[in-house]
Amino acid sequence: MTQKLLWAIALLPVLYSCEPPVRVRAVDRNTPRDSVHYVGIAEDKSEVDLRKAQLLGTIKIGDRGATLDCHYADVLERACRNAGRLGGNLLVITQHRRNQVKSNCHVIRAEVYEVRSLEGMESRMYWHPERRLLKGDLRGTSPEGTSSELPPLRTRLTCRLGGDFLREAFIRTETLFFPDSTYWPTDPRLAAVALRRAQLYFDLTEAQARLLKAELLAIGPDLDRLVHEYRSCTEERVRQLRADQAILDAEIMANADAEAVLSRWEGNVRKVLAETETYAGQQRVDLRKHRRKQEP
């Protein structure tokens, strides 16, 4: 641990001077716009209909070669934050590459648009209280024929640690829903509950993400333990998430009153989300307090 700290101290001036460069160009700089809290992401311009969209500007997130926090998720989050400041609600990726020589950082170029509705436009969706799933967001292709089985649904929970690991660390989770992973069932009974089931999958994933951050914050600021245990804690939360989703599906299929099943689950998940509101978003661990406590 001592050797790691010495290396971190030596590299600290370099790392802090290398924030990812962001270049934002507005089409009309003279028109003030209200900031937008949720910005959707389209990773393939050919898949979205932009004929009625208004182009507001462009964004580039670059790399200086020793950039901190430049995973794809970090770059997208930074781009969306700047797109929201332009007043846009849709970020369309026009170029994405990952450096292989100077660093492993992701670099993107994107266009920022204002659209009336994001329904069906996003290739990946980040959980946000202001963006609930709509019918068009279940945009996968249904197989031929009639099926009485529930369609697949894909959500993802990931966790990463960031920061300088000297003064502070950050716990970052992603709660993702993939619209192309599912479709509308052909069975009328299942179609009637498809949207609520998809939203429950999404909300269950966010609930586990918040519970994970609460668990990890209880470990911090013990950095050694946090670094060694965050992956196993994440794996356990993902296992619990998949178990919950499987139980939900089993109850929907076994109960004639699927509406009652969904209502009960929705109430339980809302309660968990309300109780864990403080763990929404990125969480910071102050490592300096821990070191002061250890001083004689």
Side-chain angles (χ1 to χ4, degrees), residues 175-249:
T175 299
L176 286 169
F177 174 80
F178 297 90
D180 294 333
S181 71
T182 191
Y183 51 84
W184 281 91
T186 53
D187 185 316
R189 173 181 176 272
L190 299 182
V193 300
L195 186 60
R196 291 173 67 184
R197 170 182 175 250
Q199 186 66 61
L200 264 173
Y201 260 60
F202 208 3
D203 291 346
L204 282 166
T205 308
E206 172 64 13
Q208 287 295 339
R210 295 183 184 185
L211 292 171
L212 171 62
K213 283 179 281 192
E215 182 179 357
L216 294 177
L217 283 172
I219 294 175
D222 187 338
L223 183 60
D224 280 344
R225 187 180 166 200
L226 188 64
V227 169
H228 284 93
E229 295 186 19
Y230 85 94
R231 287 189 179 89
S232 60
C233 291
T234 303
E235 291 171 358
E236 177 58 27
R237 286 294 168 185
V238 171
R239 187 201 65 77
Q240 183 60 55
L241 169 65
R242 301 305 176 215
D244 289 344
Q245 291 171 337
I247 294 171
L248 169 63
D249 285 352

Coordinates of all heavy atoms in Angstrom, one line a residue, residues 175-249:
T175 N -26.9 2.1 -14.4 CA -28.2 1.4 -14.5 C -28.7 1.5 -16.0 O -29.1 2.6 -16.3 CB -29.2 1.9 -13.5 OG1 -28.7 1.7 -12.2 CG2 -30.5 1.1 -13.7
L176 N -28.6 0.5 -16.8 CA -28.9 0.6 -18.2 C -30.0 -0.4 -18.6 O -30.2 -1.5 -18.0 CB -27.7 0.2 -19.0 CG -26.5 1.2 -19.1 CD1 -25.3 0.5 -19.7 CD2 -26.9 2.4 -19.9
F177 N -30.8 0.1 -19.5 CA -31.9 -0.7 -20.2 C -31.6 -0.6 -21.7 O -31.2 0.4 -22.2 CB -33.2 -0.1 -19.9 CG -34.4 -0.8 -20.6 CD1 -34.9 -2.0 -20.2 CD2 -34.9 -0.2 -21.8 CE1 -35.9 -2.6 -20.9 CE2 -35.9 -0.8 -22.5 CZ -36.4 -2.0 -22.0
F178 N -31.7 -1.8 -22.3 CA -31.4 -1.9 -23.7 C -32.7 -2.1 -24.5 O -33.3 -3.3 -24.5 CB -30.4 -3.0 -24.0 CG -29.1 -2.8 -23.3 CD1 -28.8 -3.3 -22.1 CD2 -28.1 -2.1 -24.0 CE1 -27.6 -3.0 -21.4 CE2 -26.9 -1.9 -23.4 CZ -26.6 -2.3 -22.1
P179 N -33.2 -1.1 -25.2 CA -34.5 -1.2 -25.9 C -34.6 -2.3 -26.9 O -35.7 -2.9 -27.1 CB -34.7 0.2 -26.5 CG -33.9 1.1 -25.6 CD -32.7 0.3 -25.2
D180 N -33.5 -2.6 -27.6 CA -33.5 -3.6 -28.6 C -33.5 -5.0 -28.1 O -33.6 -6.0 -28.9 CB -32.3 -3.4 -29.6 CG -32.4 -2.1 -30.4 OD1 -33.5 -1.6 -30.6 OD2 -31.3 -1.6 -30.7
S181 N -33.4 -5.2 -26.8 CA -33.3 -6.5 -26.2 C -34.7 -7.1 -26.0 O -34.8 -8.3 -25.7 CB -32.7 -6.5 -24.8 OG -33.5 -5.8 -23.9
T182 N -35.8 -6.4 -26.2 CA -37.1 -6.9 -26.0 C -38.1 -6.4 -27.0 O -37.7 -5.6 -27.9 CB -37.6 -6.4 -24.6 OG1 -38.8 -7.1 -24.2 CG2 -37.8 -4.9 -24.5
Y183 N -39.3 -6.9 -27.0 CA -40.3 -6.6 -28.0 C -41.7 -6.7 -27.4 O -41.8 -7.2 -26.2 CB -40.2 -7.5 -29.2 CG -40.1 -8.9 -28.9 CD1 -41.3 -9.7 -28.7 CD2 -38.9 -9.6 -28.7 CE1 -41.2 -11.0 -28.3 CE2 -38.8 -10.9 -28.4 CZ -40.0 -11.6 -28.2 OH -39.9 -13.0 -27.8
W184 N -42.7 -6.3 -28.1 CA -44.1 -6.5 -27.6 C -44.5 -7.9 -27.8 O -44.4 -8.5 -29.0 CB -45.0 -5.5 -28.3 CG -44.9 -4.2 -27.8 CD1 -44.1 -3.2 -28.2 CD2 -45.6 -3.7 -26.6 NE1 -44.2 -2.1 -27.4 CE2 -45.2 -2.4 -26.4 CE3 -46.6 -4.2 -25.8 CZ2 -45.7 -1.6 -25.4 CZ3 -47.1 -3.4 -24.7 CH2 -46.6 -2.1 -24.6
P185 N -45.1 -8.6 -26.8 CA -45.5 -10.0 -26.9 C -46.7 -10.1 -27.9 O -47.5 -9.1 -28.0 CB -45.9 -10.4 -25.5 CG -45.3 -9.3 -24.6 CD -45.2 -8.1 -25.4
T186 N -46.9 -11.2 -28.5 CA -48.1 -11.4 -29.3 C -49.3 -11.9 -28.5 O -50.4 -11.7 -28.9 CB -47.7 -12.5 -30.4 OG1 -47.2 -13.7 -29.8 CG2 -46.7 -12.0 -31.4
D187 N -49.0 -12.5 -27.3 CA -50.1 -12.9 -26.4 C -50.7 -11.7 -25.8 O -50.1 -10.8 -25.2 CB -49.5 -13.8 -25.3 CG -50.6 -14.4 -24.4 OD1 -51.5 -13.6 -24.0 OD2 -50.5 -15.6 -24.1
P188 N -52.0 -11.4 -26.0 CA -52.7 -10.2 -25.5 C -52.5 -10.0 -24.0 O -52.4 -8.9 -23.5 CB -54.2 -10.4 -25.9 CG -54.1 -11.4 -27.1 CD -53.0 -12.3 -26.8
R189 N -52.6 -11.1 -23.2 CA -52.5 -11.0 -21.8 C -51.1 -10.5 -21.4 O -50.9 -9.6 -20.6 CB -52.7 -12.4 -21.1 CG -52.4 -12.4 -19.6 CD -52.6 -13.8 -19.0 NE -52.3 -13.8 -17.6 CZ -51.0 -14.0 -17.1 NH1 -50.0 -14.2 -18.0 NH2 -50.8 -14.0 -15.8
L190 N -50.0 -11.0 -22.1 CA -48.7 -10.5 -21.8 C -48.4 -9.1 -22.4 O -47.7 -8.3 -21.8 CB -47.7 -11.5 -22.3 CG -47.8 -13.0 -21.8 CD1 -46.7 -13.8 -22.4 CD2 -47.7 -12.9 -20.3
A191 N -49.0 -8.8 -23.5 CA -48.8 -7.5 -24.1 C -49.4 -6.4 -23.2 O -48.9 -5.3 -23.1 CB -49.5 -7.4 -25.4
A192 N -50.5 -6.8 -22.4 CA -51.1 -5.8 -21.5 C -50.2 -5.4 -20.4 O -50.4 -4.3 -19.8 CB -52.4 -6.4 -21.0
V193 N -49.2 -6.2 -20.0 CA -48.3 -5.9 -18.9 C -46.9 -5.7 -19.3 O -46.0 -5.5 -18.5 CB -48.4 -7.0 -17.8 CG1 -49.8 -7.2 -17.3 CG2 -47.9 -8.3 -18.4
A194 N -46.6 -5.7 -20.6 CA -45.2 -5.6 -21.1 C -44.5 -4.4 -20.7 O -43.3 -4.5 -20.2 CB -45.2 -5.8 -22.6
L195 N -45.1 -3.2 -20.8 CA -44.5 -2.0 -20.5 C -44.2 -1.8 -19.0 O -43.1 -1.4 -18.6 CB -45.3 -0.8 -21.0 CG -44.6 0.6 -20.9 CD1 -43.4 0.7 -21.7 CD2 -45.6 1.7 -21.3
R196 N -45.2 -2.2 -18.2 CA -45.0 -2.1 -16.7 C -43.9 -3.1 -16.3 O -43.1 -2.8 -15.4 CB -46.3 -2.4 -16.0 CG -47.3 -1.3 -16.2 CD -48.6 -1.6 -15.6 NE -48.6 -1.7 -14.2 CZ -49.6 -2.1 -13.4 NH1 -50.8 -2.4 -14.0 NH2 -49.5 -2.2 -12.1
R197 N -43.9 -4.3 -16.9 CA -42.8 -5.3 -16.6 C -41.4 -4.7 -16.9 O -40.5 -4.9 -16.1 CB -43.1 -6.6 -17.3 CG -41.9 -7.6 -17.2 CD -42.2 -8.8 -18.0 NE -41.1 -9.8 -18.1 CZ -40.4 -10.0 -19.1 NH1 -40.7 -9.4 -20.3 NH2 -39.4 -10.8 -19.1
A198 N -41.3 -4.1 -18.1 CA -40.0 -3.6 -18.5 C -39.6 -2.5 -17.5 O -38.4 -2.4 -17.2 CB -40.1 -3.0 -19.9
Q199 N -40.5 -1.6 -17.1 CA -40.1 -0.5 -16.2 C -39.7 -1.1 -14.9 O -38.8 -0.6 -14.2 CB -41.3 0.4 -16.1 CG -41.0 1.7 -15.2 CD -40.0 2.6 -15.9 OE1 -40.2 3.1 -17.0 NE2 -38.8 2.8 -15.2
L200 N -40.4 -2.2 -14.4 CA -40.0 -2.8 -13.2 C -38.6 -3.4 -13.2 O -37.8 -3.3 -12.3 CB -41.0 -3.9 -12.8 CG -42.1 -3.5 -11.8 CD1 -43.2 -4.6 -11.7 CD2 -41.6 -3.1 -10.5
Y201 N -38.3 -4.0 -14.4 CA -36.9 -4.5 -14.5 C -35.9 -3.4 -14.4 O -34.9 -3.6 -13.7 CB -36.8 -5.1 -15.9 CG -36.9 -6.6 -16.0 CD1 -38.0 -7.3 -15.6 CD2 -35.8 -7.4 -16.6 CE1 -38.1 -8.7 -15.7 CE2 -35.9 -8.8 -16.7 CZ -37.1 -9.4 -16.2 OH -37.1 -10.8 -16.3
F202 N -36.2 -2.3 -15.0 CA -35.3 -1.1 -15.0 C -35.2 -0.6 -13.5 O -34.1 -0.3 -13.0 CB -35.9 -0.1 -15.9 CG -34.9 0.9 -16.5 CD1 -33.5 0.8 -16.2 CD2 -35.3 1.9 -17.3 CE1 -32.6 1.6 -16.8 CE2 -34.4 2.8 -17.9 CZ -33.1 2.6 -17.6
D203 N -36.4 -0.4 -12.9 CA -36.4 0.1 -11.5 C -35.7 -0.8 -10.5 O -35.0 -0.3 -9.6 CB -37.8 0.4 -11.1 CG -38.5 1.6 -11.8 OD1 -37.7 2.3 -12.5 OD2 -39.7 1.7 -11.8
L204 N -35.9 -2.1 -10.7 CA -35.2 -3.1 -9.8 C -33.7 -3.0 -10.0 O -33.0 -3.1 -9.0 CB -35.7 -4.5 -10.2 CG -37.0 -4.9 -9.6 CD1 -37.5 -6.2 -10.3 CD2 -37.0 -5.1 -8.1
T205 N -33.2 -2.7 -11.2 CA -31.8 -2.6 -11.4 C -31.3 -1.3 -10.7 O -30.2 -1.3 -10.1 CB -31.5 -2.5 -12.9 OG1 -32.1 -3.6 -13.6 CG2 -30.0 -2.5 -13.2
E206 N -32.0 -0.2 -10.8 CA -31.6 1.0 -10.1 C -31.6 0.8 -8.6 O -30.7 1.3 -7.9 CB -32.5 2.2 -10.5 CG -32.3 3.5 -9.7 CD -30.9 4.1 -9.9 OE1 -30.2 3.7 -10.8 OE2 -30.6 5.0 -9.1
A207 N -32.6 0.1 -8.1 CA -32.7 -0.1 -6.6 C -31.5 -0.9 -6.1 O -30.9 -0.6 -5.1 CB -34.0 -0.9 -6.3
Q208 N -31.1 -1.9 -6.9 CA -29.9 -2.7 -6.5 C -28.6 -1.8 -6.6 O -27.7 -2.0 -5.8 CB -29.8 -3.9 -7.3 CG -30.8 -5.0 -7.0 CD -30.6 -5.6 -5.6 OE1 -29.5 -5.5 -5.0 NE2 -31.7 -6.2 -5.1
A209 N -28.6 -0.9 -7.6 CA -27.4 -0.1 -7.7 C -27.3 0.8 -6.5 O -26.2 1.0 -6.0 CB -27.5 0.8 -9.0
R210 N -28.4 1.4 -6.0 CA -28.3 2.2 -4.8 C -28.0 1.4 -3.6 O -27.2 1.9 -2.7 CB -29.7 2.9 -4.6 CG -30.0 3.9 -5.7 CD -31.3 4.6 -5.5 NE -31.7 5.5 -6.6 CZ -32.8 6.3 -6.5 NH1 -33.5 6.3 -5.4 NH2 -33.1 7.0 -7.5
L211 N -28.5 0.2 -3.4 CA -28.2 -0.6 -2.3 C -26.7 -1.0 -2.3 O -26.0 -1.1 -1.3 CB -29.0 -1.9 -2.3 CG -30.5 -1.6 -2.0 CD1 -31.3 -2.9 -2.2 CD2 -30.7 -1.1 -0.6
L212 N -26.1 -1.2 -3.5 CA -24.7 -1.5 -3.6 C -23.9 -0.3 -3.2 O -22.9 -0.5 -2.4 CB -24.4 -1.8 -5.1 CG -22.9 -1.9 -5.5 CD1 -22.3 -3.1 -4.7 CD2 -22.8 -2.1 -7.0
K213 N -24.2 0.9 -3.6 CA -23.5 2.1 -3.2 C -23.5 2.3 -1.6 O -22.6 2.7 -1.0 CB -23.9 3.3 -3.9 CG -23.4 3.3 -5.3 CD -23.9 4.6 -6.1 CE -25.3 4.4 -6.6 NZ -25.7 5.4 -7.6
A214 N -24.7 2.0 -1.1 CA -24.8 2.1 0.4 C -23.9 1.1 1.1 O -23.2 1.4 2.1 CB -26.3 1.9 0.8
E215 N -23.8 -0.1 0.5 CA -23.0 -1.1 1.1 C -21.5 -0.7 1.0 O -20.7 -0.9 1.9 CB -23.2 -2.4 0.3 CG -22.4 -3.6 0.8 CD -22.8 -4.9 0.1 OE1 -23.6 -4.9 -0.8 OE2 -22.1 -5.9 0.4
L216 N -21.1 -0.2 -0.2 CA -19.7 0.2 -0.4 C -19.3 1.4 0.5 O -18.2 1.5 0.9 CB -19.5 0.4 -1.9 CG -19.6 -0.8 -2.8 CD1 -19.4 -0.4 -4.2 CD2 -18.6 -1.9 -2.4
L217 N -20.2 2.3 0.6 CA -19.9 3.5 1.5 C -19.7 3.1 2.9 O -19.0 3.8 3.6 CB -21.1 4.5 1.4 CG -21.1 5.4 0.1 CD1 -22.4 6.2 0.1 CD2 -19.9 6.3 0.0
A218 N -20.4 2.0 3.3 CA -20.2 1.5 4.7 C -18.7 1.0 4.9 O -18.2 1.0 6.0 CB -21.2 0.5 5.0
I219 N -18.2 0.5 3.8 CA -16.8 0.0 3.8 C -15.8 1.2 3.9 O -14.8 1.2 4.6 CB -16.5 -0.9 2.6 CG1 -17.3 -2.1 2.7 CG2 -15.0 -1.2 2.5 CD1 -17.2 -3.0 1.4
G220 N -16.0 2.2 3.0 CA -15.1 3.3 2.9 C -15.1 4.1 4.2 O -16.1 4.0 5.0
P221 N -14.0 4.8 4.6 CA -12.8 5.0 3.7 C -11.7 4.0 3.9 O -10.5 4.4 3.8 CB -12.4 6.4 4.2 CG -12.8 6.4 5.6 CD -14.0 5.6 5.8
D222 N -12.0 2.7 4.2 CA -11.0 1.7 4.2 C -10.7 1.4 2.7 O -11.3 0.5 2.1 CB -11.5 0.5 4.9 CG -10.4 -0.6 5.1 OD1 -9.5 -0.6 4.4 OD2 -10.6 -1.4 6.0
L223 N -9.7 2.0 2.1 CA -9.5 2.0 0.7 C -9.1 0.5 0.2 O -9.5 0.0 -0.8 CB -8.4 3.0 0.2 CG -8.1 3.0 -1.3 CD1 -9.3 3.4 -2.0 CD2 -7.0 4.0 -1.5
D224 N -8.2 -0.1 1.0 CA -7.7 -1.4 0.6 C -8.9 -2.4 0.5 O -9.1 -3.1 -0.4 CB -6.8 -2.0 1.7 CG -5.4 -1.4 1.4 OD1 -5.1 -0.9 0.3 OD2 -4.5 -1.5 2.4
R225 N -9.8 -2.3 1.5 CA -11.0 -3.2 1.5 C -11.9 -2.8 0.4 O -12.5 -3.7 -0.2 CB -11.7 -3.1 2.9 CG -12.8 -4.1 3.1 CD -13.4 -4.0 4.4 NE -14.7 -4.8 4.4 CZ -15.7 -4.5 5.3 NH1 -15.5 -3.6 6.3 NH2 -16.8 -5.2 5.3
L226 N -12.1 -1.6 0.2 CA -13.0 -1.1 -0.9 C -12.6 -1.6 -2.2 O -13.4 -2.1 -3.0 CB -13.1 0.4 -0.8 CG -14.1 1.1 -1.7 CD1 -15.5 0.7 -1.3 CD2 -13.9 2.6 -1.7
V227 N -11.3 -1.5 -2.5 CA -10.7 -1.9 -3.8 C -10.9 -3.4 -4.0 O -11.2 -3.9 -5.1 CB -9.2 -1.5 -3.9 CG1 -8.6 -2.1 -5.1 CG2 -9.1 0.0 -4.0
H228 N -10.6 -4.2 -2.9 CA -10.7 -5.6 -3.0 C -12.1 -6.2 -3.0 O -12.3 -7.3 -3.5 CB -9.9 -6.2 -1.9 CG -8.4 -6.1 -2.1 ND1 -7.6 -5.1 -1.6 CD2 -7.5 -6.9 -2.7 CE1 -6.4 -5.2 -1.9 NE2 -6.3 -6.4 -2.6
E229 N -13.1 -5.5 -2.5 CA -14.4 -6.0 -2.3 C -15.5 -5.5 -3.2 O -16.5 -6.1 -3.3 CB -14.8 -5.9 -0.9 CG -14.0 -6.6 0.1 CD -14.5 -6.6 1.6 OE1 -15.8 -6.2 1.7 OE2 -13.8 -6.8 2.5
Y230 N -15.2 -4.4 -3.9 CA -16.3 -3.8 -4.7 C -16.8 -4.7 -5.8 O -18.0 -4.7 -6.2 CB -15.9 -2.4 -5.2 CG -15.2 -2.3 -6.5 CD1 -15.9 -2.1 -7.7 CD2 -13.8 -2.4 -6.5 CE1 -15.2 -2.1 -8.9 CE2 -13.1 -2.4 -7.7 CZ -13.8 -2.2 -8.9 OH -13.1 -2.1 -10.1
R231 N -15.9 -5.5 -6.4 CA -16.3 -6.3 -7.5 C -17.2 -7.5 -7.0 O -18.2 -7.8 -7.6 CB -15.1 -6.9 -8.2 CG -14.3 -5.9 -9.1 CD -13.3 -6.6 -9.9 NE -12.6 -5.6 -10.8 CZ -11.5 -5.0 -10.4 NH1 -11.0 -5.1 -9.2 NH2 -10.9 -4.1 -11.3
S232 N -16.8 -8.1 -5.9 CA -17.6 -9.2 -5.4 C -18.9 -8.7 -4.9 O -20.0 -9.4 -5.0 CB -16.8 -9.9 -4.3 OG -16.5 -9.0 -3.2
C233 N -18.9 -7.5 -4.3 CA -20.2 -6.9 -3.9 C -21.1 -6.6 -5.1 O -22.3 -6.8 -5.0 CB -20.0 -5.6 -3.1 SG -19.2 -5.8 -1.5
T234 N -20.5 -6.2 -6.1 CA -21.3 -5.9 -7.4 C -21.9 -7.2 -7.9 O -23.1 -7.3 -8.3 CB -20.4 -5.2 -8.4 OG1 -19.9 -4.0 -7.9 CG2 -21.2 -4.9 -9.7
E235 N -21.1 -8.2 -8.0 CA -21.5 -9.5 -8.5 C -22.7 -10.1 -7.6 O -23.6 -10.6 -8.2 CB -20.4 -10.5 -8.5 CG -19.3 -10.2 -9.5 CD -18.1 -11.1 -9.4 OE1 -18.0 -11.9 -8.4 OE2 -17.1 -10.9 -10.2
E236 N -22.6 -9.9 -6.3 CA -23.7 -10.4 -5.5 C -25.0 -9.6 -5.7 O -26.1 -10.1 -5.7 CB -23.3 -10.3 -4.0 CG -24.4 -10.7 -3.0 CD -24.9 -12.1 -3.2 OE1 -24.1 -12.9 -3.7 OE2 -26.1 -12.3 -2.8
R237 N -24.9 -8.3 -5.9 CA -26.1 -7.4 -6.2 C -26.7 -7.8 -7.6 O -27.9 -7.8 -7.7 CB -25.7 -6.0 -6.2 CG -25.5 -5.4 -4.8 CD -26.7 -5.4 -4.0 NE -26.5 -5.1 -2.6 CZ -27.4 -5.2 -1.7 NH1 -28.7 -5.5 -2.0 NH2 -27.2 -5.0 -0.4
V238 N -25.8 -8.1 -8.5 CA -26.3 -8.5 -9.8 C -27.0 -9.9 -9.7 O -28.1 -10.1 -10.3 CB -25.2 -8.6 -10.9 CG1 -25.7 -9.3 -12.2 CG2 -24.6 -7.2 -11.2
R239 N -26.5 -10.8 -8.9 CA -27.1 -12.1 -8.7 C -28.5 -11.9 -8.1 O -29.5 -12.5 -8.5 CB -26.2 -12.9 -7.8 CG -26.7 -14.4 -7.7 CD -26.2 -15.0 -6.4 NE -26.7 -14.4 -5.2 CZ -27.9 -14.5 -4.7 NH1 -28.8 -15.3 -5.3 NH2 -28.2 -13.9 -3.6
Q240 N -28.6 -11.0 -7.1 CA -29.9 -10.7 -6.4 C -30.8 -10.1 -7.4 O -32.0 -10.4 -7.4 CB -29.6 -9.8 -5.2 CG -30.9 -9.5 -4.4 CD -31.5 -10.8 -3.8 OE1 -30.9 -11.6 -3.1 NE2 -32.8 -11.0 -4.1
L241 N -30.3 -9.2 -8.2 CA -31.2 -8.6 -9.2 C -31.8 -9.6 -10.2 O -33.0 -9.6 -10.4 CB -30.4 -7.6 -10.0 CG -31.1 -7.0 -11.3 CD1 -32.3 -6.2 -10.9 CD2 -30.1 -6.2 -12.1
R242 N -31.0 -10.5 -10.7 CA -31.5 -11.5 -11.6 C -32.5 -12.5 -10.9 O -33.5 -12.9 -11.5 CB -30.3 -12.4 -12.2 CG -29.3 -11.6 -13.0 CD -29.9 -10.7 -14.1 NE -28.9 -9.9 -14.7 CZ -29.2 -8.7 -15.2 NH1 -30.4 -8.2 -15.1 NH2 -28.2 -8.0 -15.8
A243 N -32.2 -12.7 -9.6 CA -33.2 -13.6 -8.9 C -34.5 -12.9 -8.7 O -35.6 -13.5 -8.9 CB -32.6 -13.9 -7.5
D244 N -34.5 -11.6 -8.4 CA -35.7 -10.8 -8.3 C -36.5 -10.7 -9.6 O -37.7 -10.9 -9.6 CB -35.4 -9.4 -7.8 CG -35.0 -9.3 -6.3 OD1 -35.2 -10.3 -5.6 OD2 -34.4 -8.3 -5.9
Q245 N -35.8 -10.5 -10.7 CA -36.4 -10.5 -12.0 C -37.1 -11.8 -12.3 O -38.2 -11.8 -12.9 CB -35.4 -10.0 -13.0 CG -35.0 -8.5 -12.9 CD -33.9 -8.1 -13.8 OE1 -33.1 -9.0 -14.2 NE2 -33.7 -6.9 -14.1
A246 N -36.4 -12.9 -12.0 CA -36.9 -14.2 -12.3 C -38.2 -14.5 -11.5 O -39.2 -15.1 -12.0 CB -35.9 -15.3 -12.0
I247 N -38.2 -14.1 -10.2 CA -39.3 -14.2 -9.3 C -40.5 -13.4 -9.9 O -41.7 -13.9 -9.9 CB -39.0 -13.8 -7.9 CG1 -38.0 -14.8 -7.3 CG2 -40.3 -13.8 -7.0 CD1 -37.4 -14.4 -5.9
L248 N -40.3 -12.2 -10.3 CA -41.3 -11.4 -10.9 C -41.9 -12.1 -12.1 O -43.2 -12.1 -12.2 CB -40.7 -10.0 -11.3 CG -41.6 -9.1 -12.2 CD1 -42.9 -8.7 -11.4 CD2 -40.9 -7.9 -12.6
D249 N -41.1 -12.6 -13.0 CA -41.7 -13.2 -14.2 C -42.5 -14.5 -13.8 O -43.5 -14.8 -14.4 CB -40.5 -13.6 -15.1 CG -40.0 -12.4 -15.8 OD1 -40.6 -11.3 -15.7 OD2 -38.9 -12.5 -16.5

